[in-house]
Amino acid sequence: MANNSYSGVKNSVVENSHGGDFGCSLKDLRSLMELRGAEGLGKIGESYGDVHGLCARLKTSPVDGLSGQPADIEKRKTAFGENLIPPKKPKTFLQLVWEALQDVTLIILEVAAIVSLGLSFYQPEDADRTNCGRAAGGMEEEGEAEAGWIEGAAILLSVVCVVLVTAFNDWSKEKQFRGLQSRIEQEQKFTVVRGGQVIQIPVAEIVVGDVAQVKYGDLLPADGVLIQGNDLKIDESSLTGESDHVKKTQTKDPMLLSGTHVMEGSGKMLVTAVGVNSQTGIIFTLLGANEEEEDDEEEKKKKEEKKKQRKSMSPTHTHTHTQAVTYTHSLTDSVPQTHEQSQINTVTRRHAHTHTKAVAYKESHTR
């Protein structure tokens, strides 16, 4: 009975420790991992007490790690995200064709082909004399003149073949590269502690709260805080550009960043950010957002230029129309007219004046 009651209490503690809401939000963890050295250590001490306090907030054990229950893993993926960085949108075949057409040599060939075709179909005004000269010269020159378009068409055909072959090669290489990259991501594994056992799991299955073991040669797949270290040195040049190895300890700088390499020593870290919420994921997201913003800005500039052109053309049209009406009135006034003609001209002037007012009102309303 005693053993059964103890096991029931133990199971309830495990369920409570991994159930319900977590003691820190995704925003808190992201802001924590943006700090370095003494600042990060001070933030941990101020908000959580120490690393063990952060483990308690994330409902994990610094020794045994997570329980490994599927429900708990799914809950953590929902709350903190998955350890996946969505790849950049691949270029379409038409985009690759357009890029291939930007080659200077191909542009020169296209211009030469168009000029050659234009000259082959051009016939001068003295065509009869030319035909007489051809008849006197023989049938060979006549045949060459009629087949003059073949040279331009051949150049265009060669340009099309080069562009299609280049675009297809780029498309197939990009497809192979993406397939190889996805296969590497699926096969890459990392060592974590779950349920008190040291196991290897795919990098994509790592979640916030996992206790991961790091050693020499590892590429860190997520952000974390050092729990235990043994002469651990990290190469952070991929993120910070610093070539010197950074020594990581629990008392000075416990922050470990994704995308960095372990150069010396070993240790254990608590995973605090994965996927797009890690430092590497944030950088990739910002790069993708900047490219989209540049495309949007170019489209906005084009639209604004078109609006300015329309506005600049409209006042010119109104001014020209007014000048034409005034000139017509002056001509009409200078010519002797009968009574009926004067009445017709008066009605015409009123109509033109009304039309001018309507155009001016429309322009002012548009502005």
Side-chain angles (χ1 to χ4, degrees), residues 9-55:
V9 171
K10 185 176 180 180
N11 291 334
S12 64
V13 169
V14 171
E15 292 177 359
N16 291 332
S17 63
H18 296 284
D21 296 333
F22 299 97
C24 52
S25 63
L26 176 60
K27 184 178 180 181
D28 296 335
L29 295 176
R30 287 186 62 170
S31 61
L32 172 64
M33 296 312 301
E34 291 175 357
L35 303 176
R36 302 288 182 273
E39 294 181 355
L41 191 61
K43 179 67 175 178
I44 294 175
E46 179 183 351
S47 302
Y48 309 106
D50 56 5
V51 179
H52 295 277
L54 180 58
C55 291

Side-chain angles (χ1 to χ4, degrees), residues 273-315:
V274 295
V276 294
N277 299 308
S278 64
Q279 296 302 305
T280 302
I282 292 173
I283 292 173
F284 277 106
T285 304
L286 292 176
L287 291 176
N290 287 335
E291 292 180 356
E292 293 178 359
E293 288 178 359
E294 289 178 358
D295 295 338
D296 294 340
E297 288 179 358
E298 290 180 359
E299 292 179 358
K300 289 180 180 179
K301 287 181 180 179
K302 290 181 181 178
K303 290 181 180 179
E304 289 178 357
E305 289 178 357
K306 289 181 180 179
K307 289 181 180 178
K308 289 180 180 179
Q309 291 177 358
R310 291 176 183 174
K311 289 182 179 179
S312 61
M313 292 173 62
S314 298

